[in-house]
Amino acid sequence: MTSIGGAASSQMVDWNLAVATATRLVRPGPEVSRDEARAVVAELRRHAKASEGHVRGFTRMGTEETHDTPVLVVDRPGWVRANVAGFREILKPLLEKMQERRGNTPGGAVLGAVGGKVTGVELGMLLSFLASRVLGQYETFAPATRELPAGENGGGRLLLVAPNIVHVERELDVQPHDFRLWVTLHEETHRTQFTAVPWLRDHLEGEIQSFLGETDVDPMTVLERIREAAQSLAGGRPEGEEDDGGRSLVEIVQTPAQREILGRLTAVMSLLEGHADFVMDGVGPDVVPSVQEIREKFQQRRAKGASRLDMALRKLLGLDAKLRQYRDGERFVRAVVNEVGMDGFNRVWTSPNTLPTKAEIAKPADWIARVHRKADPGDSGTGS
């Protein structure tokens, strides 16, 4: 994998080592014959194409012309390479800022080189854990590379991780054809969200960069935060401090300004994930005959995790919060659509000002009152 992002960034994180570590540690996928693997890839591509029409018809978002992003069916190492490329892109400003700060300290260059390798290994270990669990992903900030094409107009790419899809359909003992289409409906909804709403990508990137821009780059400050986080997670809080309320490591190390931004990001991600779940279940009964069985078994799998280690890592990384985003976001979307119809719900995509707040995700009626101006009796917003 060629170097991307310049020498400064590579000193802070050894990206090539991250890829090498992840691909070495990632578990092998399920056993399939070469012919079966080809058939799975071909079917996933067909389902992705069919899902475009299903999602557009149900959501009333976008047109055929809005989709310039490729669909890539990948294996686990392919997912790792794609995500490392995305991380490099979105983290580049922060890493350059940290590199500049470190370069002004005695021995900073040497510490940077050593630290970059350590961070590369740690990132690789994390990616190896996630690479066997992700079924699909819309990469919003993916740069185009020779191996991994992306949309021409700043768009990303849709990844479908074939071995993981096969593994889960076997584990759940569900109909493979139905499960593969069900998964692609969820991921295609994410692609539609970003291709049909042109401002969404830039808005999300701006929020993420604001979040990263608030990061303390002083190493001693970061180490102190990590120490406090470790104490909290281990149950060893300093005497007299209140419980952290079950927050993850990711949340604990944030500044107050970052927590405010994180609240907005959480609301957006809850909306996007909940909308995708709502769409896949809404379209499902018409095109996925066994959707009810798939949903029930998949929800049970989501809730219980694979093992005690898996549950601990989910907590540490904040993945439990992501599960709540699916649930809370889906409830928000369902409540709004039931009240004002699909066209009324689609006002959410008008501008950043019409996105729900974190509080409104929990209270959809407040979003409806704010955006639909219920004082106007002639504006029902219904469209379904």
Side-chain angles (χ1 to χ4, degrees), residues 197 199 347-355:
V197 185
W199 56 264
R347 288 196 184 184
V348 78
W349 312 116
T350 304
S351 75
N353 292 330
T354 57
L355 291 173

Side-chain angles (χ1 to χ4, degrees), residues 52 56 62-69 153 195-196:
E52 292 183 33
R56 283 198 304 267
T63 64
E64 293 185 13
E65 288 72 30
T66 61
H67 287 299
D68 73 329
T69 55
N153 300 318
T195 54

Side-chain angles (χ1 to χ4, degrees), residues 86-313:
F87 281 145
R88 296 180 81 150
E89 185 74 12
I90 199 70
L91 293 177
K92 184 178 178 181
L94 173 64
L95 295 180
E96 289 178 344
K97 179 180 174 183
M98 293 180 71
Q99 178 63 29
E100 182 180 356
R101 173 72 64 89
R102 179 171 283 174
N104 293 330
T105 62
V110 175
L111 288 172
V114 174
K117 292 190 179 301
V118 172
T119 306
V121 170
E122 291 173 341
L123 178 59
M125 293 172 66
L126 169 61
L127 289 171
S128 71
F129 169 76
L130 295 174
S132 61
R133 287 159 172 76
V134 177
L135 302 182
Q137 174 185 357
Y138 182 74
E139 273 207 302
T140 315
F141 309 108
T145 67
R146 184 175 58 186
E147 296 177 349
L148 297 163
E152 295 179 2
N153 300 318
R157 52 182 166 242
L158 182 61
L159 305 178
L160 297 170
V161 191
N164 295 350
I165 293 173
V166 172
H167 171 77
V168 174
E169 70 191 27
R170 290 178 178 179
E171 179 185 311
L172 298 181
D173 189 25
V174 292
Q175 212 286 331
H177 172 86
D178 287 2
F179 184 73
R180 295 167 193 176
L181 178 55
W182 189 72
V183 170
T184 59
L185 286 170
H186 182 102
E187 303 308 331
E188 175 58 36
T189 302
H190 286 318
R191 184 163 72 142
T192 297
Q193 289 164 348
F194 283 95
T195 54
V197 185
W199 56 264
L200 184 58
R201 179 188 183 278
D202 289 343
H203 171 72
L204 197 58
E205 183 176 17
E207 291 281 61
I208 292 172
Q209 291 303 334
S210 295
F211 180 87
L212 296 176
E214 290 288 336
T215 300
D216 282 313
V217 293
D218 175 62
M220 293 307 296
T221 302
V222 174
L223 286 174
E224 179 66 17
R225 286 236 175 94
I226 291 174
R227 183 190 66 80
E228 292 173 359
Q231 285 182 340
S232 180
L233 289 169
R237 298 185 307 279
E239 188 175 353
E241 288 192 5
E242 295 182 358
D243 196 319
D244 58 73
R247 288 182 291 151
S248 70
L249 176 61
V250 175
E251 294 172 299
I252 292 169
V253 299
Q254 306 313 322
T255 66
Q258 284 177 314
R259 290 195 188 111
E260 185 177 328
I261 299 170
L262 186 62
R264 296 196 298 268
L265 283 169
T266 298
V268 175
M269 297 312 297
S270 296
L271 170 69
L272 298 180
E273 297 293 357
H275 184 234
D277 265 14
F278 178 78
V279 172
M280 71 195 298
D281 287 345
V283 174
D286 291 333
V287 298
V288 182
S290 58
V291 64
Q292 185 172 353
E293 177 192 2
I294 290 173
R295 163 56 82 186
E296 290 174 357
K297 290 183 174 180
F298 194 75
Q299 288 284 48
Q300 291 172 2
R301 181 181 185 273
R302 265 184 183 173
K304 69 181 183 181
S307 65
R308 179 172 293 183
L309 174 61
D310 184 67
M311 293 176 69
L313 284 169

